[in-house]
């Protein structure tokens, strides 16, 4: 088995991008998603254009109290990074949400661009 190589992508930069996709607006999505992005949610799985994806982020206040716990990151090539994490947040309506999330980025001349995103909701515990 070959020795693993160190990750060259900045974890901090990637996590900042992730936070932006949770809390950012359409302009953030347009600037940070690749030309096409493969998405997978329980109610939808498809390839979306940059414009289609940006259209989904018209309300930048849809999440608050976001917590991200990084579970793993791999860099299979110098221009591709995949990360997975557990996210916990509160929806705009006050409902708690938790999911296991995986995102793939490709490095373009103007930075890292999201090209894959998947969320698998997990049960949330409400603390009294």
């Amino acid at each position: 088995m070959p020795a693993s190589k160190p990750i060259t992508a900045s974890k901090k930069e990637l996590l900042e991008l992730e936070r932006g996709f949770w809390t950012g607006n359409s302009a953030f999505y347009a600037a940070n998603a690749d030309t096409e992005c493969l998405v997978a949610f329980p109610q939808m799985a498809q390839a979306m254009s940059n414009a289609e994806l940006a259209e989904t982020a018209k309300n930048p206040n849809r999440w608050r109290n976001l917590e991200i716990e990084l579970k793993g990151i791999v860099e299979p090539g110098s221009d591709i990074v995949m990360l997975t994490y557990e996210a916990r947040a509160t929806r705009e309506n006050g409902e708690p949400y938790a999911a296991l999330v995986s995102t793939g980025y490709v490095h373009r001349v103007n930075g890292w661009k999201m090209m894959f995103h998947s969320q698998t909701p997990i049960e949330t515990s409400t603390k009294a």
Side-chain angles (χ1 to χ4, degrees):
M1 192 163 164
S4 62
K5 65 181 188 70
I7 302 293
T8 58
S10 165
K11 287 180 189 177
K12 181 180 179 199
E13 178 184 2
L14 294 171
L15 290 173
E16 285 174 8
L17 284 168
E18 285 299 303
R19 288 186 178 285
F21 281 112
W22 283 86
T23 61
N25 60 16
S26 297
F28 179 89
Y29 274 61
N32 293 288
D34 203 25
T35 306
E36 281 193 302
C37 185
L38 192 62
V39 297
F41 293 88
Q43 61 278 53
M44 166 184 74
Q46 67 188 56
M48 297 179 80
S49 71
N50 180 289
E52 290 170 327
L53 197 58
E55 188 72 17
T56 69
K58 286 191 169 190
N59 179 5
N61 299 315
R62 60 197 179 283
W63 300 105
R64 62 180 188 272
N65 306 322
L66 174 64
E67 296 175 18
I68 292 177
E69 182 183 341
L70 186 64
K71 300 290 187 175
I73 183 169
V74 295
E75 188 174 354
S78 60
D79 62 346
I80 296 175
V81 172
M82 299 290 296
L83 59 101
T84 191
Y85 59 91
E86 184 175 321
R88 294 190 177 273
T90 304
R91 293 181 188 272
E92 186 177 29
N93 66 4
E95 179 184 328
Y97 178 79
L100 295 176
V101 180
S102 293
T103 305
Y105 288 93
V106 60
H107 196 267
R108 302 292 188 204
V109 293
N110 54 349
W112 290 104
K113 303 299 175 190
M114 182 174 69
M115 53 87 171
F116 169 79
H117 184 76
S118 174
Q119 289 187 25
T120 303
I122 56 177
E123 198 165 315
T124 58
S125 62
T126 53
K127 298 173 184 166

